[in-house]
Amino acid sequence: MTDAVWRGCVIPDDLLYDVGMNVWVRPEGDLVVLGMTDIAQTMGGRMVQITWRRLGKAFARGRSLATIESAKWVGPFPTPLTGELVASNENAFAEDIAVANRDPYGAGWIARLRPERFAEERVHLVDGHAAMQQYRKFMDEHDIHCYRCAE
């Protein structure tokens, strides 16, 4: 499988997505890695600061795991799954605040969560193909073209 690209925006096929929250999910054993989609990082613009939540705390689906401040926006990074926050990517963002602008699906991940209800809440997530179908319509309606921040 290949990643889907539309208007410069990449949606990797091997991830799951909560399109409404603009969050991707990558299962890794009993954990999931979460990050913002290419569309989300583009809409927000260059990140300037992130306020991280306390590790070890439980969060319900839809609650904020971090507060992201960018050039255009300040808001929550919501979790699409209920669970315990076990890791954040705070060190990577301390070294390069724009890491998610450059690599939203790799080095720019936001959090690792130990989901409590993955099987139950999985119904809110879609695969890459379904996510791209939804995002294509959204990007066309809002004239969104993705880009990556340069140094």
Side-chain angles (χ1 to χ4, degrees):
M1 296 179 90
T2 60
D3 296 342
V5 180
W6 183 253
R7 293 177 163 244
C9 301
V10 177
I11 298 295
D13 289 335
D14 62 342
L15 300 175
L16 300 171
Y17 299 86
D18 186 310
V19 175
M21 292 185 189
N22 285 311
V23 174
W24 58 262
V25 177
R26 182 176 59 234
E28 291 185 349
D30 66 341
L31 302 178
V32 293
V33 180
L34 308 172
M36 61 186 350
T37 64
D38 200 4
I39 292 89
Q41 72 82 21
T42 294
M43 289 189 308
R46 185 176 175 87
M47 289 190 194
V48 295
Q49 181 176 327
I50 298 181
T51 304
W52 303 94
R53 300 296 185 266
R54 186 171 46 97
L55 300 180
K57 186 176 177 191
F59 291 86
R61 173 178 152 70
R63 301 301 294 182
S64 178
L65 298 178
T67 300
I68 297 174
E69 182 177 344
S70 72
K72 301 179 188 176
W73 177 80
V74 175
F77 177 79
T79 176
L81 300 166
T82 298
E84 177 191 356
L85 180 61
V86 297
S88 66
N89 201 6
E90 190 170 356
N91 290 339
F93 282 88
E95 286 182 24
D96 175 10
I97 192 63
V99 66
N101 295 118
R102 285 189 248 294
D103 188 10
Y105 301 111
W109 62 274
I110 304 289
R112 279 194 166 83
L113 192 77
R114 179 172 290 110
E116 295 174 5
R117 299 181 211 147
F118 186 79
E120 175 185 333
E121 294 175 337
R122 169 67 175 85
V123 300
H124 300 290
L125 305 176
V126 297
D127 66 17
H129 177 75
M132 180 51 88
Q133 296 309 310
Q134 293 175 46
Y135 275 128
R136 279 179 70 151
K137 182 179 179 190
F138 179 81
M139 288 184 286
D140 288 347
E141 288 173 356
H142 298 281
D143 195 29
I144 294 171
H145 297 267
C146 289
Y147 64 92
R148 296 290 194 285
C149 288
E151 290 294 327

